[in-house]
Amino acid sequence: MRLTALSNPCTAAAAALALFSCAEVAFARPSPEPKVPSRVQWSRNRGKKIARTVLQQSLEARQYSNTTSASCPETKATSITAPYENIWAGLSDGEAASVIAWLFGQPALNLTASENATAWDNTILLVELMIPNKTDAVAYIDSGAATPARYARVVIDNRATVDPYFQDLLVGPLPLNNATASYQPLEFPLTRKTEGKVRNVGADDDDALYSAWLYKIGAEMVDITMDLWGGSAMGADNDTLDIWGIDPLWQDDGRIIRWDSFWNTPNDIFDAETLLPLGLYFKSDVTGRDPSQWKLEGWLYNNIFYNTTEEFRAAYWSGAVEKLAANVDGTWAHTDQQGDVLPSDANYPPTTIAPSGSRFSLDYERKYVEWMDYTFFIGFSRDVGMTLYDIRFKGERILYELGLQEALAHYAGGDPVQSGTSYLDSYYGFGPYAFELVPGYDCPEYATYLNSTFYVDETTHTHLNSICLFEFTADYPMQRHSTSEYVANTKNTYFSVRSVSTVGNYDYMFTYSFYTDGSIGVEVRASGYIQSAYYTTGSDFGWKIQEALSGSMHDHVLNFKADFDILGTANSMQFVENVPVSRVFPWSNGKARNTMQLQRSTLTTEDEARFDWGVNSAKQVLVVNTDAPNKWGESRGYRVLPSFGAMHLTVKDSSNLVNAARWAEYDIQVTRQHDHEPRAAHAYNSQDVNDPPVDFSAFFNGESLEQEDLVLWLNVGMHHVPNTGDLPNTVFTTAHAGLTFAPNNYFDMDQSRRTVNMVRINYSGGSAAEVETFGQKAATCAVDFTPVEYDLWQYKGDVVVRKFPYDPNDPYYETDSIV
Ligand SMILES: *[C@@H]1O[C@H](CO)[C@@H](O)[C@H](O)[C@H]1NC(C)=O
Ligand SMILES: *[C@@H]1O[C@H](CO)[C@@H](O)[C@H](O)[C@H]1NC(C)=O
Ligand SMILES: *[C@@H]1O[C@H](CO)[C@@H](O)[C@H](O)[C@H]1NC(C)=O
Ligand SMILES: *[C@@H]1O[C@H](CO)[C@@H](O)[C@H](O)[C@H]1NC(C)=O
Ligand SMILES: *[C@@H]1O[C@H](CO)[C@@H](O)[C@H](O)[C@H]1NC(C)=O
Ligand SMILES: *[C@@H]1O[C@H](CO)[C@@H](O)[C@H](O)[C@H]1NC(C)=O
Ligand SMILES: *[C@@H]1O[C@H](CO)[C@@H](O)[C@H](O)[C@H]1NC(C)=O
Ligand SMILES: *[C@@H]1O[C@H](CO)[C@@H](O)[C@H](O)[C@H]1NC(C)=O
Ligand SMILES: *[C@@H]1O[C@H](CO)[C@@H](O)[C@H](O)[C@H]1NC(C)=O
Ligand SMILES: [Cu+2]
């Protein structure tokens, strides 16, 4: 539906200045009624919420503009063909289906299809592409060797046993054929050599943990929960309370210990549960798979510990227990507009457009991007979501790989649940929660979108439009200079690729940006609901943000792998530090002058390769190729620097994590690249924190780092102490961290001089004498501005294709999220 223009802000003068015609500006408004899917089922599964649309809907393409006259060109990227295959792109539908069918044909795996499996059956948890070794990939890319052999990485959830475990398998080569196909333990990427196996301490989480334990305890306590909060948590349809607790579980002395607490549940669509703790905690020993052997080890309320349920109940009904206020859902926890509308805010705000259409190219299928002097490929995996590969500038590789490794949210608190929480989010995965983006909000409306795909329960799910790519012109120029005779100024137009993963309560936005000066940015922003604490232990662990609520302090630490290849793989790390000195110069009359100078050093081995940025931002960290001097004899390289929020974990030797997140201990860590050290962490490190599948500290074994293939493991994050401004949600403005990689003597001069989107204006005596625009073209299209709300009716959620039995022609919609 299209309504008439409400106003036309374009004047002739504005049009001339903006270099595009404002001949037509059309405004549309949202359709009045929401389109509700025919039938929506809500169910809980593995702590996940599932919204499933049962009826088949057609997969019509996203429709953007609905133009009525000569409009601006298509803003989607121009389609091109990548120079070589995307060897990181993932399995095709057919490959995934063939691997699943083949695995079900292996009697030794004793597999049960997920839809029929109980907690005592073996199932397939993951089937995805095994990322090829760099050695093979580089031989293919650079030397024309054959494409690396394709294998599937498979994770089996072995639960048909009293000692359940996950196992990583390598299956291949692809395409599978009965004569050559095999599976083997996938052990080489792990530091722990136990055939890719790690125990599963959550094997009964979906089932027995609730039915035979937590709900049973909730039922035993129902007299008290009804009295305190008028609700129950016992698996009943009318429960208004929930029970959950620490992650990872305590793993001391061979025991598996949980601490859980009661939470109020929201009474509407808003996901506010993590804002509604109720302050009652209980401890249980859940070692082993027989719930009849599990033991309740005590209750905690108002900082008083009770050894048994009887003891707590007796104290409670004797009136000895002070009844504390409850945290209850309300508009304070809702993100919809509230409060007085801001002045003029009902008018549409400024927005950006792409009047010349797309200025970049994409191989949509291979996920290969060309923008200005840059090219790169996009890969996508369950554990970490989007990863960029073979990032080049003017054909020279800068980075072989750039991507997230793990994200930690380490809480602390006076209660055992906050104190025991240290989420290692790749356990849940960034891929499965990289939801569809919202055009005009998450990314400019003119962005180009790609889908991403992940495996779950013998299906592949596709997040539609979950990666966006767009150019953006910054609100500040790349360069400027004024004199009394001229002013010179250059636009700062950059290119970004972005995805957002909502892992439970938190939304992480990941953005990689490319600038015309040759610099590359990595940014993370966090929004969504905080996980809060019941306010009983005072101010040591957070601000009081509601009557009974503490903004629970926590560190977010996110690790990125940056595998630099500066003019080849042989690279070195140099430091150049500004240091204060007292120095005598030939011209200083024998007197020392208090000044400063540069102190240069080189990182020689992995023994010194775990460090922090240092005080006063005085130290420059450079990745250089000392065999590749520029024409002045300086080594060409890139500087690595924090742009915001460089940090490491505050907690030392975390009781929660032990060896599971050694990568979080320093700001920056450098290793020699090895095919057997592809990732700093493993999705199941939380399952055995003392002896995790990947103990990052084992990567450091004294190897030389001079003119070797180097990998930088870089931490950014936030020391997050949520305050009232985090209610109802944390905002992206301050929950923000990032890194910049900037050319350092890499080029002979600033590369941004190549753009024509610059101007020089000579002036004198009150008038301009020359306006030099370097051959820029004026855009003269009609701006057909269709506000984003109209198109948002195209939002769909995930598309699912069943793989076993393989049913490629009957996709359906289903979207999962974590509670
Ligand atoms: C798009 O434009 C066409 C032709 O002008 C019109 O028939 C149609 O109703 C418009 N669609 C929407 C959704 O506005
Ligand atoms: C699940 O079990 C049912 C009933 O035995 C069977 O018909 C179905 O094929 C099974 N599903 C799969 C994917 O094997
Ligand atoms: C195979 O799994 C079933 C459960 O699906 C289990 O009962 C049986 O013991 C397992 N067989 C072997 C040999 O482990
Ligand atoms: C491979 O083996 C399976 C199971 O034995 C059989 O069903 C299939 O037809 C075989 N495929 C080929 C190509 O021989
Ligand atoms: C749930 O329903 C049962 C049975 O109707 C009732 O006894 C109980 O009080 C209800 N619980 C809550 C929390 O309303
Ligand atoms: C609770 O257990 C602790 C440690 O076992 C013990 O010292 C204490 O006396 C017990 N308290 C009560 C009230 O039984
Ligand atoms: C995303 O998936 C949808 C549905 O399968 C498809 O129509 C669309 O072309 C895909 N988009 C891209 C960019 O491949
Ligand atoms: C990849 O590298 C690892 C470690 O060096 C090696 O064990 C493995 O065989 C390699 N994979 C392939 C397909 O060559
Ligand atoms: C403008 O300034 C540039 C740089 O000084 C000079 O080369 C050019 O001749 C000037 N043009 C005019 C019209 O004065
Ligand atoms: Cu936070």
Side-chain angles (χ1 to χ4, degrees):
M1 184 179 62
R2 187 181 192 119
L3 301 182
T4 43
L6 301 176
S7 65
N8 188 336
C10 291
T11 61
L17 272 176
L19 297 177
F20 52 75
S21 143
C22 287
E24 184 188 355
V25 178
F27 289 78
R29 284 290 157 191
S31 315
E33 293 301 323
K35 290 176 194 158
V36 186
S38 336
R39 185 148 71 91
V40 178
Q41 294 177 338
W42 289 96
S43 69
R44 264 173 203 251
N45 176 19
R46 251 177 196 264
K48 286 191 274 186
K49 262 192 221 164
I50 302 179
R52 172 180 294 179
T53 306
V54 178
L55 288 189
Q56 176 63 35
Q57 298 182 0
S58 68
L59 299 177
E60 75 262 48
R62 178 183 292 281
Q63 285 168 352
Y64 270 93
S65 58
N66 189 18
T67 55
T68 54
S69 72
S71 60
C72 300
E74 176 61 73
T75 60
K76 299 280 166 295
T78 308
S79 185
I80 48 160
T81 301
Y84 60 87
E85 288 303 319
N86 184 339
I87 52 178
W88 310 276
L91 299 176
S92 67
D93 274 357
E95 283 175 327
S98 74
V99 171
I100 297 163
W102 186 86
L103 289 166
F104 276 100
Q106 307 304 310
L109 294 174
N110 193 18
L111 294 171
T112 303
S114 298
E115 65 180 10
N116 291 331
T118 70
W120 286 84
D121 296 305
N122 296 342
T123 52
I124 303 172
L125 269 193
L126 178 67
V127 175
E128 69 176 18
L129 179 74
M130 176 68 195
I131 299 300
N133 287 340
K134 182 180 181 184
T135 306
D136 300 332
V138 167
Y140 164 64
I141 302 166
D142 293 351
S143 316
T147 48
R150 282 171 81 74
Y151 287 85
R153 178 182 164 227
V154 168
V155 179
I156 305 289
D157 193 2
N158 288 280
R159 295 195 292 170
T161 162
V162 291
D163 296 310
Y165 61 93
F166 300 106
Q167 186 173 23
D168 285 14
L169 299 178
L170 193 63
V171 178
L174 302 175
L176 293 176
N177 90 46
N178 287 349
T180 58
S182 71
Y183 69 87
Q184 52 188 289
L186 179 53
E187 185 184 80
F188 77 79
L190 314 185
T191 56
R192 167 175 158 163
K193 301 302 178 192
T194 48
E195 299 193 309
K197 294 179 186 173
V198 58
R199 70 179 178 196
N200 176 358
V201 296
D204 297 299
D205 280 5
D206 295 351
D207 222 340
L209 174 66
Y210 278 87
S211 63
W213 192 247
L214 300 179
Y215 286 150
K216 226 179 82 198
I217 293 167
E220 272 173 40
M221 265 296 151
V222 71
D223 54 333
I224 292 176
T225 63
M226 284 299 290
D227 188 60
L228 274 173
W229 312 305
S232 62
M234 46 198 253
D237 285 346
N238 62 352
D239 277 353
T240 59
L241 309 177
D242 211 349
I243 303 176
W244 48 271
I246 62 171
D247 176 8
L249 304 180
W250 286 2
Q251 302 171 24
D252 298 335
D253 309 320
R255 310 305 298 175
I256 302 297
I257 307 292
R258 304 182 60 88
W259 270 102
D260 290 283
S261 75
F262 288 82
W263 303 78
N264 242 327
T265 55
N267 35 39
D268 45 50
I269 194 180
F270 292 101
D271 200 21
E273 184 165 326
T274 54
L275 296 180
L276 309 174
L278 292 168
L280 175 61
Y281 312 91
F282 59 94
K283 180 185 181 189
S284 30
D285 182 331
V286 293
T287 310
R289 298 198 69 184
D290 180 359
S292 72
Q293 302 297 307
W294 295 352
K295 290 191 278 294
L296 185 78
E297 299 196 326
W299 291 87
L300 182 77
Y301 191 65
N302 200 13
N303 284 321
I304 301 168
F305 185 77
Y306 305 87
N307 285 359
T308 64
T309 304
E310 295 69 41
E311 198 187 309
F312 177 54
R313 172 171 287 112
Y316 186 87
W317 289 117
S318 76
V321 172
E322 185 192 344
K323 297 183 190 179
L324 305 175
N327 287 300
V328 181
D329 191 16
T331 50
W332 67 276
H334 298 173
T335 53
D336 276 359
Q337 196 280 334
Q338 49 186 305
D340 298 341
V341 174
L342 300 168
S344 301
D345 191 44
N347 298 331
Y348 205 94
T351 187
T352 52
I353 56 164
S356 307
S358 137
R359 307 197 311 159
F360 70 104
S361 311
L362 192 54
D363 184 330
Y364 285 82
E365 193 169 322
R366 296 185 182 82
K367 294 189 163 67
Y368 165 77
V369 183
E370 287 186 355
W371 175 73
M372 302 297 163
D373 288 322
Y374 291 96
T375 60
F376 59 90
F377 285 84
I378 301 171
F380 192 86
S381 67
R382 179 229 170 257
D383 291 350
V384 300
M386 184 170 74
T387 301
L388 307 188
Y389 291 96
D390 199 16
I391 300 171
R392 296 176 187 233
F393 190 89
K394 284 190 187 167
E396 294 281 8
R397 182 179 309 133
I398 308 288
L399 289 139
Y400 170 73
E401 180 182 350
L402 175 60
L404 180 72
Q405 300 295 293
E406 182 58 286
L408 164 65
H410 197 306
Y411 290 74
D415 75 69
V417 168
Q418 296 306 314
S419 183
T421 301
S422 295
Y423 296 119
L424 289 166
D425 281 333
S426 80
Y427 173 80
Y428 304 96
F430 287 86
Y433 303 105
F435 294 113
E436 183 171 354
L437 297 164
V438 181
Y441 290 81
D442 286 318
C443 322
E445 203 195 351
Y446 56 77
T448 298
Y449 293 85
L450 292 172
N451 300 335
S452 60
T453 292
F454 62 100
Y455 173 92
V456 55
D457 292 348
E458 286 93 62
T459 63
T460 48
H461 286 224
T462 296
H463 291 299
L464 301 175
N465 305 316
S466 48
I467 295 172
C468 69
L469 303 106
F470 58 90
E471 277 189 288
F472 202 81
T473 298
D475 61 354
Y476 64 96
M478 172 65 78
Q479 168 279 339
R480 76 174 319 292
H481 188 65
S482 286
T483 74
S484 59
E485 288 166 70
Y486 77 97
V487 56
N489 207 315
T490 308
K491 286 193 182 174
N492 179 9
T493 301
Y494 58 89
F495 183 78
S496 293
V497 50
R498 170 173 293 167
S499 72
V500 176
S501 292
T502 304
V503 187
N505 51 315
Y506 258 123
D507 300 64
Y508 292 102
M509 173 180 278
F510 300 100
T511 311
Y512 298 96
S513 296
F514 300 86
Y515 297 85
T516 52
D517 66 340
S519 62
I520 297 171
V522 179
E523 278 170 296
V524 191
R525 290 184 167 82
S527 187
Y529 281 95
I530 58 167
Q531 177 171 314
S532 58
Y534 193 85
Y535 193 86
T536 34
T537 52
S539 57
D540 284 354
F541 301 101
W543 301 104
K544 183 170 186 171
I545 56 174
Q546 285 281 302
E547 185 48 38
L549 203 62
S550 164
S552 186
M553 72 178 292
H554 54 280
D555 275 2
H556 294 273
V557 194
L558 296 101
N559 188 262
F560 286 86
K561 176 181 182 182
D563 180 345
F564 278 92
D565 284 349
I566 303 292
L567 302 157
T569 54
N571 294 167
S572 301
M573 297 293 301
Q574 282 186 351
F575 303 127
V576 176
E577 190 166 357
N578 290 22
V579 292
V581 288
S582 267
R583 182 162 165 169
V584 180
F585 296 89
W587 42 263
S588 65
N589 229 349
K591 277 173 83 175
R593 292 182 56 78
N594 293 340
T595 179
M596 62 182 171
Q597 70 172 73
L598 298 178
Q599 188 175 76
R600 293 169 192 268
S601 55
T602 300
L603 190 59
T604 54
T605 74
E606 285 179 345
D607 290 338
E608 305 98 59
R610 308 181 74 194
F611 53 93
D612 296 333
W613 295 107
V615 293
N616 197 24
S617 308
K619 186 163 160 176
Q620 296 194 27
V621 174
L622 306 166
V623 188
V624 300
N625 186 332
T626 55
D627 295 328
N630 69 5
K631 69 176 168 186
W632 316 115
E634 301 284 10
S635 295
R636 295 175 65 186
Y638 261 68
R639 180 178 173 195
V640 178
L641 67 159
S643 49
F644 203 85
M647 51 96 76
H648 57 269
L649 179 61
T650 305
V651 181
K652 296 291 173 215
D653 258 320
S654 165
S655 300
N656 295 334
L657 296 172
V658 195
N659 294 314
R662 295 285 177 202
W663 55 265
E665 293 177 330
Y666 298 86
D667 295 349
I668 169 167
Q669 301 165 89
V670 186
T671 62
R672 188 139 142 202
Q673 192 280 334
H674 287 297
D675 288 341
H676 63 266
E677 291 171 353
R679 198 181 140 203
H682 187 276
Y684 299 122
N685 271 7
S686 59
Q687 304 296 295
D688 195 344
V689 296
N690 297 294
D691 189 11
V694 174
D695 176 351
F696 180 72
S697 62
F699 288 15
F700 296 85
N701 46 6
E703 289 179 282
S704 162
L705 296 177
E706 291 181 276
Q707 290 304 93
E708 296 289 352
D709 192 358
L710 304 183
V711 179
L712 278 63
W713 312 86
L714 300 154
N715 287 322
V716 297
M718 308 125 213
H719 300 290
H720 194 183
V721 185
N723 65 82
T724 52
D726 290 86
L727 295 180
N729 273 190
T730 295
V731 288
F732 279 147
T733 41
T734 49
H736 174 206
L739 295 159
T740 299
F741 307 147
N744 197 84
N745 296 320
Y746 186 89
F747 304 105
D748 287 340
M749 62 178 285
D750 166 31
Q751 294 304 292
S752 74
R753 293 311 81 214
R754 294 186 56 215
T755 181
V756 297
N757 282 295
M758 59 165 71
V759 68
R760 177 175 40 73
I761 306 166
N762 294 17
Y763 66 102
S764 126
S767 61
E770 186 184 352
V771 177
E772 172 61 85
T773 55
F774 306 96
Q776 288 166 30
K777 277 194 223 142
T780 53
C781 63
V783 176
D784 179 23
F785 179 66
T786 306
V788 288
E789 284 84 352
Y790 178 77
D791 297 304
L792 298 181
W793 292 97
Q794 300 292 327
Y795 199 88
K796 290 186 176 66
D798 296 355
V799 175
V800 182
V801 173
R802 189 180 169 108
K803 289 291 157 51
F804 187 73
Y806 188 30
D807 193 1
N809 299 317
D810 192 22
Y812 56 96
Y813 289 98
E814 180 179 295
T815 303
D816 302 356
S817 68
I818 304 171
V819 168

